[in-house]
PDB file of all heavy atoms in Angstrom:
ATOM      1  N   SER A  56     -90.453  32.657  58.346  1.00  0.00           N
ATOM      2  CA  SER A  56     -90.627  31.840  57.132  1.00  0.00           C
ATOM      3  C   SER A  56     -89.303  31.196  56.762  1.00  0.00           C
ATOM      4  O   SER A  56     -88.261  31.860  56.701  1.00  0.00           O
ATOM      5  CB  SER A  56     -91.107  32.717  55.979  1.00  0.00           C
ATOM      6  OG  SER A  56     -91.033  32.016  54.757  1.00  0.00           O
ATOM      7  N   TYR A  60     -84.755  24.808  48.965  1.00  0.00           N
ATOM      8  CA  TYR A  60     -84.527  24.702  47.530  1.00  0.00           C
ATOM      9  C   TYR A  60     -83.481  23.618  47.274  1.00  0.00           C
ATOM     10  O   TYR A  60     -82.556  23.428  48.065  1.00  0.00           O
ATOM     11  CB  TYR A  60     -84.040  26.032  46.956  1.00  0.00           C
ATOM     12  CG  TYR A  60     -85.076  27.124  47.003  1.00  0.00           C
ATOM     13  CD1 TYR A  60     -85.318  27.820  48.186  1.00  0.00           C
ATOM     14  CD2 TYR A  60     -85.821  27.449  45.868  1.00  0.00           C
ATOM     15  CE1 TYR A  60     -86.287  28.824  48.237  1.00  0.00           C
ATOM     16  CE2 TYR A  60     -86.786  28.445  45.913  1.00  0.00           C
ATOM     17  CZ  TYR A  60     -87.015  29.116  47.096  1.00  0.00           C
ATOM     18  OH  TYR A  60     -87.976  30.090  47.143  1.00  0.00           O
ATOM     19  N   GLN A  62     -80.613  22.488  44.500  1.00  0.00           N
ATOM     20  CA  GLN A  62     -79.831  22.978  43.367  1.00  0.00           C
ATOM     21  C   GLN A  62     -79.022  21.847  42.760  1.00  0.00           C
ATOM     22  O   GLN A  62     -78.195  21.228  43.451  1.00  0.00           O
ATOM     23  CB  GLN A  62     -78.892  24.121  43.781  1.00  0.00           C
ATOM     24  CG  GLN A  62     -78.151  24.735  42.585  1.00  0.00           C
ATOM     25  CD  GLN A  62     -77.270  25.903  42.973  1.00  0.00           C
ATOM     26  OE1 GLN A  62     -76.773  26.006  44.090  1.00  0.00           O
ATOM     27  NE2 GLN A  62     -77.081  26.826  42.042  1.00  0.00           N
ATOM     28  N   GLU A  73     -92.141  25.552  51.747  1.00  0.00           N
ATOM     29  CA  GLU A  73     -92.002  26.708  52.628  1.00  0.00           C
ATOM     30  C   GLU A  73     -92.832  26.518  53.875  1.00  0.00           C
ATOM     31  O   GLU A  73     -93.949  26.018  53.821  1.00  0.00           O
ATOM     32  CB  GLU A  73     -92.461  28.000  51.921  1.00  0.00           C
ATOM     33  CG  GLU A  73     -92.217  29.262  52.756  1.00  0.00           C
ATOM     34  CD  GLU A  73     -93.448  30.106  53.001  1.00  0.00           C
ATOM     35  OE1 GLU A  73     -94.521  29.796  52.447  1.00  0.00           O
ATOM     36  OE2 GLU A  73     -93.345  31.096  53.753  1.00  0.00           O
ATOM     37  N   HIS A 122     -90.309  40.439  52.172  1.00  0.00           N
ATOM     38  CA  HIS A 122     -89.996  40.080  50.792  1.00  0.00           C
ATOM     39  C   HIS A 122     -88.514  39.845  50.575  1.00  0.00           C
ATOM     40  O   HIS A 122     -88.097  39.566  49.457  1.00  0.00           O
ATOM     41  CB  HIS A 122     -90.493  41.165  49.838  1.00  0.00           C
ATOM     42  CG  HIS A 122     -90.115  42.541  50.281  1.00  0.00           C
ATOM     43  ND1 HIS A 122     -90.991  43.374  50.931  1.00  0.00           N
ATOM     44  CD2 HIS A 122     -88.958  43.206  50.192  1.00  0.00           C
ATOM     45  CE1 HIS A 122     -90.367  44.504  51.216  1.00  0.00           C
ATOM     46  NE2 HIS A 122     -89.137  44.432  50.765  1.00  0.00           N
ATOM     47  N   PHE A 124     -85.278  37.475  50.946  1.00  0.00           N
ATOM     48  CA  PHE A 124     -84.980  36.065  51.144  1.00  0.00           C
ATOM     49  C   PHE A 124     -83.466  35.942  51.293  1.00  0.00           C
ATOM     50  O   PHE A 124     -82.713  36.273  50.377  1.00  0.00           O
ATOM     51  CB  PHE A 124     -85.417  35.241  49.917  1.00  0.00           C
ATOM     52  CG  PHE A 124     -86.908  35.170  49.734  1.00  0.00           C
ATOM     53  CD1 PHE A 124     -87.608  36.216  49.157  1.00  0.00           C
ATOM     54  CD2 PHE A 124     -87.623  34.053  50.137  1.00  0.00           C
ATOM     55  CE1 PHE A 124     -88.980  36.165  48.978  1.00  0.00           C
ATOM     56  CE2 PHE A 124     -88.998  33.979  49.958  1.00  0.00           C
ATOM     57  CZ  PHE A 124     -89.675  35.031  49.382  1.00  0.00           C
TER      58      PHE A 124
ATOM     59  N   TYR B  58     -92.007  40.925  43.128  1.00  0.00           N
ATOM     60  CA  TYR B  58     -90.635  41.341  43.366  1.00  0.00           C
ATOM     61  C   TYR B  58     -89.724  40.533  42.458  1.00  0.00           C
ATOM     62  O   TYR B  58     -89.994  39.352  42.194  1.00  0.00           O
ATOM     63  CB  TYR B  58     -90.227  41.091  44.829  1.00  0.00           C
ATOM     64  CG  TYR B  58     -90.821  42.064  45.810  1.00  0.00           C
ATOM     65  CD1 TYR B  58     -92.043  41.809  46.403  1.00  0.00           C
ATOM     66  CD2 TYR B  58     -90.153  43.236  46.137  1.00  0.00           C
ATOM     67  CE1 TYR B  58     -92.604  42.709  47.296  1.00  0.00           C
ATOM     68  CE2 TYR B  58     -90.694  44.129  47.043  1.00  0.00           C
ATOM     69  CZ  TYR B  58     -91.916  43.869  47.609  1.00  0.00           C
ATOM     70  OH  TYR B  58     -92.457  44.761  48.497  1.00  0.00           O
ATOM     71  N   TYR B  60     -85.471  39.656  41.877  1.00  0.00           N
ATOM     72  CA  TYR B  60     -84.261  39.621  42.680  1.00  0.00           C
ATOM     73  C   TYR B  60     -83.040  39.289  41.836  1.00  0.00           C
ATOM     74  O   TYR B  60     -83.153  38.610  40.812  1.00  0.00           O
ATOM     75  CB  TYR B  60     -84.378  38.528  43.761  1.00  0.00           C
ATOM     76  CG  TYR B  60     -85.563  38.666  44.666  1.00  0.00           C
ATOM     77  CD1 TYR B  60     -86.841  38.270  44.245  1.00  0.00           C
ATOM     78  CD2 TYR B  60     -85.427  39.184  45.944  1.00  0.00           C
ATOM     79  CE1 TYR B  60     -87.932  38.400  45.081  1.00  0.00           C
ATOM     80  CE2 TYR B  60     -86.523  39.310  46.789  1.00  0.00           C
ATOM     81  CZ  TYR B  60     -87.770  38.915  46.343  1.00  0.00           C
ATOM     82  OH  TYR B  60     -88.848  39.041  47.181  1.00  0.00           O
ATOM     83  N   TYR B  62     -79.299  37.481  42.724  1.00  0.00           N
ATOM     84  CA  TYR B  62     -78.444  36.793  43.671  1.00  0.00           C
ATOM     85  C   TYR B  62     -77.101  36.483  43.021  1.00  0.00           C
ATOM     86  O   TYR B  62     -77.012  36.292  41.806  1.00  0.00           O
ATOM     87  CB  TYR B  62     -79.072  35.462  44.113  1.00  0.00           C
ATOM     88  CG  TYR B  62     -80.204  35.612  45.102  1.00  0.00           C
ATOM     89  CD1 TYR B  62     -81.509  35.786  44.661  1.00  0.00           C
ATOM     90  CD2 TYR B  62     -79.960  35.600  46.475  1.00  0.00           C
ATOM     91  CE1 TYR B  62     -82.561  35.921  45.556  1.00  0.00           C
ATOM     92  CE2 TYR B  62     -80.995  35.741  47.382  1.00  0.00           C
ATOM     93  CZ  TYR B  62     -82.282  35.902  46.920  1.00  0.00           C
ATOM     94  OH  TYR B  62     -83.310  36.057  47.823  1.00  0.00           O
ATOM     95  N   GLN B  64     -73.756  33.815  43.375  1.00  0.00           N
ATOM     96  CA  GLN B  64     -73.265  32.579  43.977  1.00  0.00           C
ATOM     97  C   GLN B  64     -71.827  32.355  43.570  1.00  0.00           C
ATOM     98  O   GLN B  64     -71.505  32.229  42.397  1.00  0.00           O
ATOM     99  CB  GLN B  64     -74.126  31.384  43.554  1.00  0.00           C
ATOM    100  CG  GLN B  64     -73.755  30.104  44.306  1.00  0.00           C
ATOM    101  CD  GLN B  64     -74.670  28.950  43.965  1.00  0.00           C
ATOM    102  OE1 GLN B  64     -75.082  28.762  42.815  1.00  0.00           O
ATOM    103  NE2 GLN B  64     -74.986  28.133  44.970  1.00  0.00           N
ATOM    104  N   TYR B  75     -82.988  43.781  45.008  1.00  0.00           N
ATOM    105  CA  TYR B  75     -84.282  43.379  44.485  1.00  0.00           C
ATOM    106  C   TYR B  75     -85.030  44.635  44.084  1.00  0.00           C
ATOM    107  O   TYR B  75     -84.698  45.739  44.498  1.00  0.00           O
ATOM    108  CB  TYR B  75     -85.082  42.555  45.498  1.00  0.00           C
ATOM    109  CG  TYR B  75     -85.382  43.307  46.775  1.00  0.00           C
ATOM    110  CD1 TYR B  75     -86.542  44.074  46.900  1.00  0.00           C
ATOM    111  CD2 TYR B  75     -84.523  43.235  47.859  1.00  0.00           C
ATOM    112  CE1 TYR B  75     -86.827  44.758  48.062  1.00  0.00           C
ATOM    113  CE2 TYR B  75     -84.808  43.917  49.028  1.00  0.00           C
ATOM    114  CZ  TYR B  75     -85.945  44.689  49.120  1.00  0.00           C
ATOM    115  OH  TYR B  75     -86.208  45.354  50.288  1.00  0.00           O
ATOM    116  N   ASN B 124     -95.050  32.532  48.918  1.00  0.00           N
ATOM    117  CA  ASN B 124     -93.797  33.128  49.372  1.00  0.00           C
ATOM    118  C   ASN B 124     -92.640  32.262  48.911  1.00  0.00           C
ATOM    119  O   ASN B 124     -91.956  31.619  49.715  1.00  0.00           O
ATOM    120  CB  ASN B 124     -93.826  33.239  50.895  1.00  0.00           C
ATOM    121  CG  ASN B 124     -92.736  34.149  51.400  1.00  0.00           C
ATOM    122  OD1 ASN B 124     -92.462  35.183  50.812  1.00  0.00           O
ATOM    123  ND2 ASN B 124     -92.113  33.759  52.504  1.00  0.00           N
ATOM    124  N   LEU B 126     -89.617  31.601  45.444  1.00  0.00           N
ATOM    125  CA  LEU B 126     -88.917  32.201  44.314  1.00  0.00           C
ATOM    126  C   LEU B 126     -88.797  31.213  43.173  1.00  0.00           C
ATOM    127  O   LEU B 126     -88.605  30.002  43.399  1.00  0.00           O
ATOM    128  CB  LEU B 126     -87.515  32.633  44.743  1.00  0.00           C
ATOM    129  CG  LEU B 126     -87.434  33.656  45.869  1.00  0.00           C
ATOM    130  CD1 LEU B 126     -85.977  33.935  46.230  1.00  0.00           C
ATOM    131  CD2 LEU B 126     -88.146  34.936  45.496  1.00  0.00           C
TER     132      LEU B 126
END
Side-chain angles (χ1 to χ4, degrees):
Chain A
S56 169
Y60 293 80
Q62 185 177 28
E73 185 235 355
H122 48 260
F124 292 80
Chain B
Y58 286 89
Y60 303 79
Y62 284 89
Q64 187 175 39
Y75 61 89
N124 194 40
L126 300 177

